[in-house]
Amino acid sequence: MGSVRDALPRTASQARTPRLRPYRRKDLSLSQPLICEPWHLMDSIGRMGGWSGYPAFGPHPRNDVMITSLRLSNFGPLSSIQWDGLGRINLVIGSNGSGKTFLLKAIYASLRTLEEYRRGNEQRTAPEILADRLYWTFQAERIGDLVTRGSAEPLKSHVSIDGHDFVYGFGRETTRQISSLENHVAPRSSNSVFLPAKEVLSLHQIILKSREQDRAFGFDDTYFDLARALRITPTRGNDYRAFSKSRKDLEQVLGGSIEYDEGSGRWIFVKGRNRFPIGVTAEGIKKIAILDTLLGNRYLDNHSIVLIDEPESALHPSAISRLLDIIAALAEAGLQFFLASHSYFVVKKLLLIAQERSWSIPVLSGEEHAGDTIWNQNDLMEGMPDNQIIDESVRLYQQEVELALQ
Protein backbone atom coordinates (compact mmCIF):
# COMPACT_ATOMS: atom_id res chain seq x y z
CA MET A 1 0.00 0.00 0.00
CA GLY A 2 1.35 3.44 -0.93
CA SER A 3 2.12 6.01 1.74
CA VAL A 4 -0.12 8.91 2.61
CA ARG A 5 2.45 11.23 1.04
CA ASP A 6 2.08 9.34 -2.26
CA ALA A 7 -1.62 10.12 -2.21
CA LEU A 8 -0.96 13.86 -2.16
CA PRO A 9 -0.57 15.65 -5.52
CA ARG A 10 3.16 15.99 -6.08
CA THR A 11 5.46 15.96 -9.07
CA ALA A 12 9.14 15.50 -9.63
CA SER A 13 9.45 19.13 -10.64
CA GLN A 14 8.72 20.04 -7.04
CA ALA A 15 11.81 18.39 -5.65
CA ARG A 16 13.67 20.68 -3.31
CA THR A 17 15.69 23.27 -5.16
CA PRO A 18 19.17 24.39 -4.19
CA ARG A 19 19.50 27.36 -1.91
CA LEU A 20 18.99 30.56 -3.86
CA ARG A 21 22.02 32.79 -4.29
CA PRO A 22 21.89 36.46 -3.24
CA TYR A 23 20.96 38.82 -6.03
CA ARG A 24 23.90 40.86 -7.25
CA ARG A 25 23.57 43.89 -9.48
CA LYS A 26 26.63 45.73 -10.72
CA ASP A 27 24.87 49.06 -11.17
CA LEU A 28 23.63 49.07 -7.58
CA SER A 29 27.00 49.78 -6.02
CA LEU A 30 26.81 51.74 -2.79
CA SER A 31 30.25 53.25 -3.28
CA GLN A 32 28.64 56.34 -4.77
CA PRO A 33 25.10 57.76 -4.78
CA LEU A 34 22.81 56.52 -7.53
CA ILE A 35 19.41 58.14 -7.92
CA CYS A 36 17.66 57.33 -11.16
CA GLU A 37 14.01 58.29 -11.60
CA PRO A 38 13.15 58.13 -15.33
CA TRP A 39 9.51 59.09 -14.76
CA HIS A 40 10.55 62.28 -12.99
CA LEU A 41 12.95 63.03 -15.85
CA MET A 42 10.28 62.37 -18.48
CA ASP A 43 7.94 64.80 -16.76
CA SER A 44 10.60 67.55 -16.75
CA ILE A 45 11.38 67.01 -20.42
CA GLY A 46 7.68 66.99 -21.23
CA ARG A 47 7.09 70.33 -19.53
CA MET A 48 9.99 71.91 -21.42
CA GLY A 49 8.38 70.74 -24.65
CA GLY A 50 4.99 72.16 -23.74
CA TRP A 51 3.37 68.92 -22.66
CA SER A 52 1.31 68.67 -19.48
CA GLY A 53 2.27 65.51 -17.65
CA TYR A 54 3.90 62.30 -18.77
CA PRO A 55 4.25 61.72 -22.53
CA ALA A 56 1.44 59.57 -23.90
CA PHE A 57 0.22 58.65 -20.41
CA GLY A 58 -1.32 61.76 -18.81
CA PRO A 59 -0.57 62.88 -15.25
CA HIS A 60 -1.46 59.52 -13.69
CA PRO A 61 -0.87 56.68 -16.15
CA ARG A 62 -3.25 53.76 -15.63
CA ASN A 63 -1.31 50.75 -14.43
CA ASP A 64 -3.09 47.44 -14.96
CA VAL A 65 -0.04 45.25 -14.46
CA MET A 66 1.21 43.29 -11.50
CA ILE A 67 4.41 42.33 -9.70
CA THR A 68 6.12 39.68 -11.82
CA SER A 69 9.29 39.01 -9.85
CA LEU A 70 10.97 39.83 -6.55
CA ARG A 71 14.56 39.64 -5.33
CA LEU A 72 15.77 40.53 -1.86
CA SER A 73 19.11 40.07 -0.16
CA ASN A 74 20.23 40.87 3.37
CA PHE A 75 16.79 42.27 4.22
CA GLY A 76 16.31 41.54 7.93
CA PRO A 77 15.66 37.80 8.41
CA LEU A 78 15.57 37.34 4.62
CA SER A 79 19.17 36.68 3.65
CA SER A 80 18.31 35.64 0.09
CA ILE A 81 15.00 35.62 -1.77
CA GLN A 82 14.39 35.15 -5.49
CA TRP A 83 10.77 34.69 -6.56
CA ASP A 84 9.99 34.69 -10.28
CA GLY A 85 6.91 34.01 -12.38
CA LEU A 86 4.46 35.61 -9.93
CA GLY A 87 0.75 35.32 -10.61
CA ARG A 88 -2.56 36.81 -9.54
CA ILE A 89 -2.48 34.80 -6.29
CA ASN A 90 0.85 34.15 -4.59
CA LEU A 91 1.43 32.23 -1.37
CA VAL A 92 4.23 32.43 1.20
CA ILE A 93 4.36 29.54 3.69
CA GLY A 94 6.71 28.90 6.56
CA SER A 95 6.94 28.47 10.30
CA ASN A 96 6.53 31.25 12.86
CA GLY A 97 9.49 33.64 12.76
CA SER A 98 10.63 32.57 9.29
CA GLY A 99 10.08 36.06 7.84
CA LYS A 100 6.73 35.70 6.03
CA THR A 101 5.28 38.94 7.40
CA PHE A 102 8.61 40.71 6.91
CA LEU A 103 8.53 39.75 3.22
CA LEU A 104 5.00 41.11 2.75
CA LYS A 105 6.01 44.37 4.44
CA ALA A 106 9.06 44.70 2.18
CA ILE A 107 6.79 44.37 -0.86
CA TYR A 108 4.31 46.82 0.65
CA ALA A 109 6.93 49.51 1.29
CA SER A 110 7.96 49.46 -2.38
CA LEU A 111 4.37 49.52 -3.62
CA ARG A 112 3.34 52.43 -1.43
CA THR A 113 6.39 54.39 -2.54
CA LEU A 114 5.33 53.99 -6.17
CA GLU A 115 1.74 54.91 -5.29
CA GLU A 116 2.63 58.07 -3.38
CA TYR A 117 5.29 59.25 -5.85
CA ARG A 118 3.98 62.26 -7.81
CA ARG A 119 0.39 61.62 -6.69
CA GLY A 120 -1.56 64.84 -6.21
CA ASN A 121 0.63 67.54 -4.69
CA GLU A 122 3.32 65.13 -3.49
CA GLN A 123 6.67 66.89 -3.94
CA ARG A 124 9.03 64.36 -2.34
CA THR A 125 11.40 62.27 -4.42
CA ALA A 126 11.06 58.49 -4.55
CA PRO A 127 14.08 57.98 -2.22
CA GLU A 128 12.55 60.36 0.34
CA ILE A 129 9.19 58.58 0.24
CA LEU A 130 10.84 55.17 0.44
CA ALA A 131 12.98 56.12 3.44
CA ASP A 132 9.88 57.34 5.27
CA ARG A 133 7.98 54.19 4.32
CA LEU A 134 10.72 51.88 5.57
CA TYR A 135 11.03 53.88 8.80
CA TRP A 136 7.33 53.69 9.67
CA THR A 137 6.62 50.22 8.26
CA PHE A 138 9.44 48.49 10.14
CA GLN A 139 9.73 51.09 12.92
CA ALA A 140 13.51 51.00 13.06
CA GLU A 141 15.26 54.09 14.46
CA ARG A 142 17.83 53.73 11.66
CA ILE A 143 16.77 52.02 8.46
CA GLY A 144 20.31 50.61 8.29
CA ASP A 145 19.20 48.33 11.14
CA LEU A 146 17.15 46.44 8.53
CA VAL A 147 20.36 45.00 7.05
CA THR A 148 20.71 41.33 8.04
CA ARG A 149 22.69 40.98 11.25
CA GLY A 150 26.20 39.69 10.75
CA SER A 151 26.19 40.46 7.02
CA ALA A 152 28.92 42.65 5.57
CA GLU A 153 26.90 43.13 2.38
CA PRO A 154 24.28 45.87 1.86
CA LEU A 155 20.55 45.34 1.80
CA LYS A 156 19.18 45.10 -1.74
CA SER A 157 15.62 45.03 -3.04
CA HIS A 158 14.47 44.51 -6.61
CA VAL A 159 10.76 44.51 -7.48
CA SER A 160 9.77 44.04 -11.11
CA ILE A 161 6.34 45.21 -12.29
CA ASP A 162 5.60 44.02 -15.82
CA GLY A 163 9.31 43.98 -16.59
CA HIS A 164 9.96 47.46 -15.19
CA ASP A 165 12.25 47.61 -12.20
CA PHE A 166 12.18 49.38 -8.85
CA VAL A 167 15.58 48.76 -7.26
CA TYR A 168 17.22 50.16 -4.15
CA GLY A 169 19.91 49.35 -1.63
CA PHE A 170 21.70 50.73 1.42
CA GLY A 171 24.25 49.73 4.02
CA ARG A 172 24.18 49.24 7.77
CA GLU A 173 25.27 52.83 8.53
CA THR A 174 22.27 54.35 6.75
CA THR A 175 20.06 56.52 8.96
CA ARG A 176 17.17 58.00 6.92
CA GLN A 177 18.68 58.85 3.52
CA ILE A 178 18.70 56.31 0.69
CA SER A 179 21.48 57.11 -1.75
CA SER A 180 21.00 54.24 -4.21
CA LEU A 181 17.68 53.91 -6.02
CA GLU A 182 16.73 53.14 -9.60
CA ASN A 183 13.11 53.46 -10.68
CA HIS A 184 11.69 52.50 -14.08
CA VAL A 185 8.10 51.92 -12.91
CA ALA A 186 5.35 54.41 -13.72
CA PRO A 187 3.61 56.01 -10.69
CA ARG A 188 0.67 53.82 -9.68
CA SER A 189 -2.80 55.33 -9.54
CA SER A 190 -4.26 52.26 -7.81
CA ASN A 191 -3.88 51.49 -4.11
CA SER A 192 -2.31 48.51 -2.43
CA VAL A 193 -3.36 47.43 1.04
CA PHE A 194 -1.95 45.21 3.79
CA LEU A 195 -4.44 43.27 5.92
CA PRO A 196 -2.67 42.25 9.16
CA ALA A 197 -3.42 39.12 11.15
CA LYS A 198 -4.70 41.22 14.07
CA GLU A 199 -8.04 42.96 13.72
CA VAL A 200 -8.19 46.72 13.22
CA LEU A 201 -11.81 47.88 13.46
CA SER A 202 -12.09 48.01 17.27
CA LEU A 203 -8.72 49.82 17.41
CA HIS A 204 -9.50 52.22 14.56
CA GLN A 205 -9.49 55.49 16.52
CA ILE A 206 -6.56 54.43 18.71
CA ILE A 207 -4.44 53.72 15.62
CA LEU A 208 -5.27 57.07 14.03
CA LYS A 209 -4.54 59.01 17.24
CA SER A 210 -1.21 57.25 17.86
CA ARG A 211 0.05 58.20 14.42
CA GLU A 212 -1.71 61.45 13.50
CA GLN A 213 -1.41 63.15 16.89
CA ASP A 214 1.24 61.32 18.91
CA ARG A 215 3.53 60.36 15.99
CA ALA A 216 4.60 57.39 18.09
CA PHE A 217 5.85 53.93 17.29
CA GLY A 218 3.42 51.11 18.04
CA PHE A 219 1.14 50.79 15.03
CA ASP A 220 3.21 50.59 11.85
CA ASP A 221 2.26 51.90 8.41
CA THR A 222 0.32 48.76 7.50
CA TYR A 223 -2.14 49.50 10.34
CA PHE A 224 -2.12 53.27 9.84
CA ASP A 225 -2.74 53.11 6.09
CA LEU A 226 -5.54 50.61 6.60
CA ALA A 227 -7.17 52.77 9.29
CA ARG A 228 -7.08 55.79 6.95
CA ALA A 229 -8.47 53.75 4.05
CA LEU A 230 -11.38 52.57 6.21
CA ARG A 231 -12.18 56.20 7.03
CA ILE A 232 -13.12 56.90 3.39
CA THR A 233 -16.88 57.34 3.00
CA PRO A 234 -18.49 54.55 0.93
CA THR A 235 -19.23 55.61 -2.62
CA ARG A 236 -22.90 55.92 -3.45
CA GLY A 237 -24.12 54.03 -6.47
CA ASN A 238 -23.17 50.70 -7.93
CA ASP A 239 -19.99 48.78 -7.11
CA TYR A 240 -17.40 48.15 -9.76
CA ARG A 241 -19.08 45.51 -11.88
CA ALA A 242 -16.19 43.12 -11.28
CA PHE A 243 -16.72 43.39 -7.51
CA SER A 244 -20.51 43.12 -7.34
CA LYS A 245 -20.77 39.34 -6.91
CA SER A 246 -17.74 39.19 -4.63
CA ARG A 247 -19.27 41.76 -2.28
CA LYS A 248 -22.53 39.83 -2.16
CA ASP A 249 -20.58 36.66 -1.35
CA LEU A 250 -18.61 38.47 1.36
CA GLU A 251 -21.80 39.76 2.96
CA GLN A 252 -23.24 36.24 2.92
CA VAL A 253 -20.20 34.99 4.80
CA LEU A 254 -20.56 37.93 7.21
CA GLY A 255 -24.26 37.39 7.73
CA GLY A 256 -24.67 41.16 7.68
CA SER A 257 -22.63 44.31 7.12
CA ILE A 258 -20.62 46.89 9.06
CA GLU A 259 -21.15 50.64 9.23
CA TYR A 260 -19.21 53.51 10.74
CA ASP A 261 -21.20 55.55 13.24
CA GLU A 262 -20.00 59.15 12.91
CA GLY A 263 -21.65 60.14 16.18
CA SER A 264 -19.85 57.65 18.40
CA GLY A 265 -16.79 57.24 16.18
CA ARG A 266 -17.22 53.47 16.31
CA TRP A 267 -17.90 50.63 13.92
CA ILE A 268 -21.25 48.83 14.16
CA PHE A 269 -22.17 45.37 12.91
CA VAL A 270 -25.64 45.37 11.33
CA LYS A 271 -27.58 42.12 11.06
CA GLY A 272 -31.15 42.60 9.90
CA ARG A 273 -32.68 45.19 12.21
CA ASN A 274 -30.16 44.55 14.96
CA ARG A 275 -27.05 46.65 15.53
CA PHE A 276 -24.11 45.42 17.59
CA PRO A 277 -20.90 47.12 18.77
CA ILE A 278 -17.96 45.86 16.73
CA GLY A 279 -16.19 44.84 19.95
CA VAL A 280 -18.61 41.95 20.53
CA THR A 281 -18.34 40.72 16.97
CA ALA A 282 -16.23 37.67 16.10
CA GLU A 283 -12.64 38.38 15.00
CA GLY A 284 -13.10 36.55 11.70
CA ILE A 285 -16.13 38.66 10.80
CA LYS A 286 -14.08 41.84 11.29
CA LYS A 287 -11.39 40.68 8.86
CA ILE A 288 -13.90 39.84 6.13
CA ALA A 289 -15.78 43.08 6.82
CA ILE A 290 -12.60 45.09 6.20
CA LEU A 291 -12.18 43.64 2.71
CA ASP A 292 -15.85 44.30 1.94
CA THR A 293 -15.51 47.91 3.16
CA LEU A 294 -12.46 48.62 1.00
CA LEU A 295 -14.29 47.32 -2.05
CA GLY A 296 -17.37 49.36 -1.14
CA ASN A 297 -15.59 52.68 -0.65
CA ARG A 298 -13.56 52.08 -3.82
CA TYR A 299 -10.20 52.35 -2.11
CA LEU A 300 -9.48 49.14 -4.03
CA ASP A 301 -10.01 48.84 -7.74
CA ASN A 302 -9.35 46.04 -10.21
CA HIS A 303 -5.64 46.96 -10.44
CA SER A 304 -4.95 46.95 -6.71
CA ILE A 305 -2.48 44.66 -4.95
CA VAL A 306 -3.66 43.13 -1.66
CA LEU A 307 -1.31 41.57 0.90
CA ILE A 308 -2.95 39.42 3.60
CA ASP A 309 -1.09 38.11 6.63
CA GLU A 310 -2.57 34.83 7.91
CA PRO A 311 -5.94 34.85 6.10
CA GLU A 312 -6.92 31.84 8.23
CA SER A 313 -6.68 33.78 11.51
CA ALA A 314 -9.88 33.51 13.63
CA LEU A 315 -11.90 32.02 10.76
CA HIS A 316 -13.88 28.78 10.71
CA PRO A 317 -12.61 26.35 8.02
CA SER A 318 -15.76 26.81 5.94
CA ALA A 319 -15.32 30.60 6.10
CA ILE A 320 -11.66 30.26 5.05
CA SER A 321 -12.74 28.20 2.05
CA ARG A 322 -15.35 30.75 1.01
CA LEU A 323 -12.96 33.67 1.56
CA LEU A 324 -10.35 32.04 -0.68
CA ASP A 325 -13.00 31.44 -3.36
CA ILE A 326 -13.84 35.17 -3.19
CA ILE A 327 -10.13 36.04 -3.42
CA ALA A 328 -9.91 33.86 -6.53
CA ALA A 329 -12.87 35.71 -8.07
CA LEU A 330 -11.29 39.09 -7.28
CA ALA A 331 -7.99 37.89 -8.75
CA GLU A 332 -9.83 36.93 -11.90
CA ALA A 333 -11.20 40.49 -11.99
CA GLY A 334 -7.65 41.89 -11.99
CA LEU A 335 -6.46 42.23 -8.38
CA GLN A 336 -3.19 40.63 -7.31
CA PHE A 337 -2.88 38.90 -3.93
CA PHE A 338 0.05 37.93 -1.73
CA LEU A 339 -0.92 35.65 1.16
CA ALA A 340 1.31 34.59 4.05
CA SER A 341 0.20 31.50 5.96
CA HIS A 342 1.27 28.50 7.99
CA SER A 343 -2.06 26.71 7.56
CA TYR A 344 -2.30 23.37 5.76
CA PHE A 345 -5.97 24.16 5.13
CA VAL A 346 -5.10 27.34 3.21
CA VAL A 347 -2.50 25.50 1.13
CA LYS A 348 -4.93 22.67 0.35
CA LYS A 349 -7.78 25.01 -0.65
CA LEU A 350 -5.50 27.04 -2.94
CA LEU A 351 -4.24 23.78 -4.45
CA LEU A 352 -7.84 22.90 -5.36
CA ILE A 353 -8.41 26.37 -6.82
CA ALA A 354 -5.23 26.09 -8.90
CA GLN A 355 -6.15 22.68 -10.27
CA GLU A 356 -9.85 23.40 -10.81
CA ARG A 357 -9.08 26.60 -12.73
CA SER A 358 -5.78 25.45 -14.26
CA TRP A 359 -4.13 28.45 -12.63
CA SER A 360 -0.54 28.99 -11.70
CA ILE A 361 -0.40 29.84 -7.98
CA PRO A 362 3.28 30.36 -7.12
CA VAL A 363 4.43 29.33 -3.64
CA LEU A 364 7.50 30.52 -1.78
CA SER A 365 8.22 27.93 0.88
CA GLY A 366 10.54 28.60 3.81
CA GLU A 367 12.18 25.81 5.81
CA GLU A 368 14.52 26.00 8.78
CA HIS A 369 17.94 24.38 8.37
CA ALA A 370 20.82 24.85 10.81
CA GLY A 371 19.34 28.06 12.17
CA ASP A 372 18.76 29.60 8.75
CA THR A 373 15.68 29.70 6.49
CA ILE A 374 16.01 28.34 2.97
CA TRP A 375 13.37 29.51 0.51
CA ASN A 376 12.18 27.31 -2.37
CA GLN A 377 9.83 28.04 -5.26
CA ASN A 378 6.89 25.79 -6.15
CA ASP A 379 3.59 26.05 -8.00
CA LEU A 380 0.30 24.68 -6.69
CA MET A 381 -0.83 23.88 -10.23
CA GLU A 382 1.81 21.12 -10.11
CA GLY A 383 0.84 19.77 -6.68
CA MET A 384 1.54 20.19 -2.98
CA PRO A 385 4.88 21.81 -2.12
CA ASP A 386 7.56 19.98 -0.17
CA ASN A 387 7.43 21.80 3.17
CA GLN A 388 7.58 21.07 6.89
CA ILE A 389 3.98 22.27 7.36
CA ILE A 390 2.79 19.70 4.83
CA ASP A 391 5.07 17.05 6.33
CA GLU A 392 3.63 17.60 9.82
CA SER A 393 0.04 17.44 8.53
CA VAL A 394 0.82 14.16 6.78
CA ARG A 395 2.52 12.78 9.90
CA LEU A 396 -0.51 13.54 12.06
CA TYR A 397 -2.83 11.94 9.51
CA GLN A 398 -0.65 8.83 9.41
CA GLN A 399 -0.72 8.68 13.20
CA GLU A 400 -4.51 8.96 13.17
CA VAL A 401 -4.80 6.12 10.63
CA GLU A 402 -2.45 3.92 12.66
CA LEU A 403 -4.50 4.48 15.82
CA ALA A 404 -7.71 3.64 13.98
CA LEU A 405 -6.21 0.36 12.72
CA GLN A 406 -5.02 -0.79 16.15
Side-chain angles (χ1 to χ4, degrees):
M1 182 176 69
S3 67
V4 176
R5 177 175 294 283
D6 293 335
L8 293 174
R10 194 181 298 274
T11 67
S13 65
Q14 290 178 284
R16 187 165 301 170
T17 57
R19 180 169 180 168
L20 300 171
R21 294 177 297 175
Y23 174 61
R24 302 191 180 281
R25 183 180 175 90
K26 294 181 180 179
D27 61 354
L28 195 58
S29 169
L30 297 182
S31 60
Q32 56 182 341
L34 168 63
I35 304 296
C36 179
E37 299 181 86
W39 288 98
H40 181 83
L41 178 62
M42 288 174 66
D43 185 55
S44 299
I45 295 173
R47 292 182 189 280
M48 287 188 292
W51 301 326
S52 57
Y54 300 108
F57 291 101
H60 292 295
R62 192 64 184 166
N63 185 3
D64 59 357
V65 296
M66 62 182 184
I67 298 175
T68 52
S69 68
L70 172 70
R71 299 180 186 182
L72 301 174
S73 61
N74 301 314
F75 205 135
L78 309 171
S79 59
S80 177
I81 293 283
Q82 180 174 331
W83 200 5
D84 300 312
L86 298 176
R88 285 292 173 190
I89 300 178
N90 308 276
L91 176 65
V92 185
I93 59 175
S95 60
N96 291 328
S98 60
K100 302 184 303 296
T101 303
F102 211 92
L103 173 59
L104 294 193
K105 287 185 176 182
I107 297 171
Y108 184 73
S110 291
L111 286 172
R112 292 301 292 164
T113 298
L114 292 168
E115 290 163 3
E116 288 186 25
Y117 178 52
R118 299 194 64 76
R119 179 178 287 191
N121 295 320
E122 180 60 68
Q123 298 297 316
R124 292 176 298 169
T125 65
E128 291 170 338
I129 297 172
L130 176 63
D132 197 52
R133 276 290 166 183
L134 291 172
Y135 178 77
W136 284 105
T137 298
F138 294 99
Q139 301 200 343
E141 290 292 347
R142 294 157 27 102
I143 61 175
D145 293 339
L146 295 175
V147 178
T148 301
R149 291 181 180 179
S151 174
E153 297 295 320
L155 176 154
K156 296 180 183 178
S157 172
H158 179 166
V159 176
S160 181
I161 299 181
D162 194 36
H164 301 287
D165 299 333
F166 180 76
V167 186
Y168 68 87
F170 52 82
R172 186 176 302 281
E173 301 305 315
T174 305
T175 53
R176 290 288 296 273
Q177 183 176 359
I178 295 175
S179 59
S180 180
L181 184 147
E182 182 179 348
N183 178 27
H184 297 278
V185 181
R188 286 178 53 83
S189 57
S190 298
N191 296 308
S192 59
V193 69
F194 187 110
L195 304 184
K198 297 178 181 178
E199 71 94 5
V200 169
L201 293 177
S202 60
L203 300 172
H204 192 202
Q205 293 301 324
I206 297 173
I207 295 170
L208 292 174
K209 179 181 180 298
S210 74
R211 290 294 305 275
E212 291 180 339
Q213 298 179 30
D214 302 336
R215 296 289 291 177
F217 279 178
F219 294 104
D220 64 43
D221 262 4
T222 63
Y223 286 89
F224 183 46
D225 291 344
L226 180 56
R228 290 194 297 181
L230 290 169
R231 193 164 53 181
I232 298 173
T233 303
T235 302
R236 294 187 177 276
N238 296 329
D239 297 326
Y240 288 119
R241 181 175 299 178
F243 297 163
S244 180
K245 184 179 185 306
S246 294
R247 289 204 66 203
K248 290 179 182 177
D249 291 342
L250 282 169
E251 289 172 5
Q252 286 181 359
V253 177
L254 285 170
S257 61
I258 64 165
E259 297 176 359
Y260 184 69
D261 183 5
E262 293 286 351
S264 64
R266 296 180 180 179
W267 289 89
I268 303 295
F269 178 65
V270 181
K271 187 173 183 178
R273 295 183 178 181
N274 298 315
R275 297 167 66 85
F276 305 94
I278 201 67
V280 301
T281 307
E283 296 290 312
I285 285 181
K286 297 173 189 176
K287 178 177 290 187
I288 295 175
I290 286 173
L291 182 57
D292 181 55
T293 300
L294 296 177
L295 294 172
N297 67 13
R298 300 202 176 192
Y299 183 79
L300 298 178
D301 61 27
N302 58 338
H303 305 299
S304 294
I305 297 177
V306 181
L307 304 99
I308 307 180
D309 193 15
E310 297 183 14
E312 70 274 11
S313 177
L315 286 178
H316 186 276
S318 63
I320 297 173
S321 181
R322 295 177 70 181
L323 174 61
L324 292 175
D325 281 330
I326 293 167
I327 286 174
L330 291 172
E332 197 166 27
L335 280 77
Q336 186 179 27
F337 288 87
F338 288 84
L339 313 177
S341 177
H342 46 67
S343 166
Y344 173 79
F345 193 88
V346 169
V347 180
K348 188 66 175 180
K349 176 60 180 179
L350 289 176
L351 169 76
L352 296 175
I353 290 173
Q355 297 190 341
E356 288 171 357
R357 297 172 178 249
S358 297
W359 277 10
S360 169
I361 297 185
V363 180
L364 191 65
S365 174
E367 294 193 85
E368 294 291 331
H369 288 281
D372 195 8
T373 301
I374 298 176
W375 296 91
N376 303 300
Q377 298 184 64
N378 302 104
D379 197 312
L380 290 179
M381 188 167 60
E382 299 174 359
M384 292 291 275
D386 189 8
N387 181 269
Q388 292 166 345
I389 293 174
I390 310 302
D391 294 344
E392 181 63 14
S393 298
V394 170
R395 187 190 69 78
L396 291 174
Y397 181 72
Q398 287 176 323
Q399 185 177 357
E400 180 183 10
V401 171
E402 290 170 359
L403 290 173
L405 295 176
Q406 288 180 359

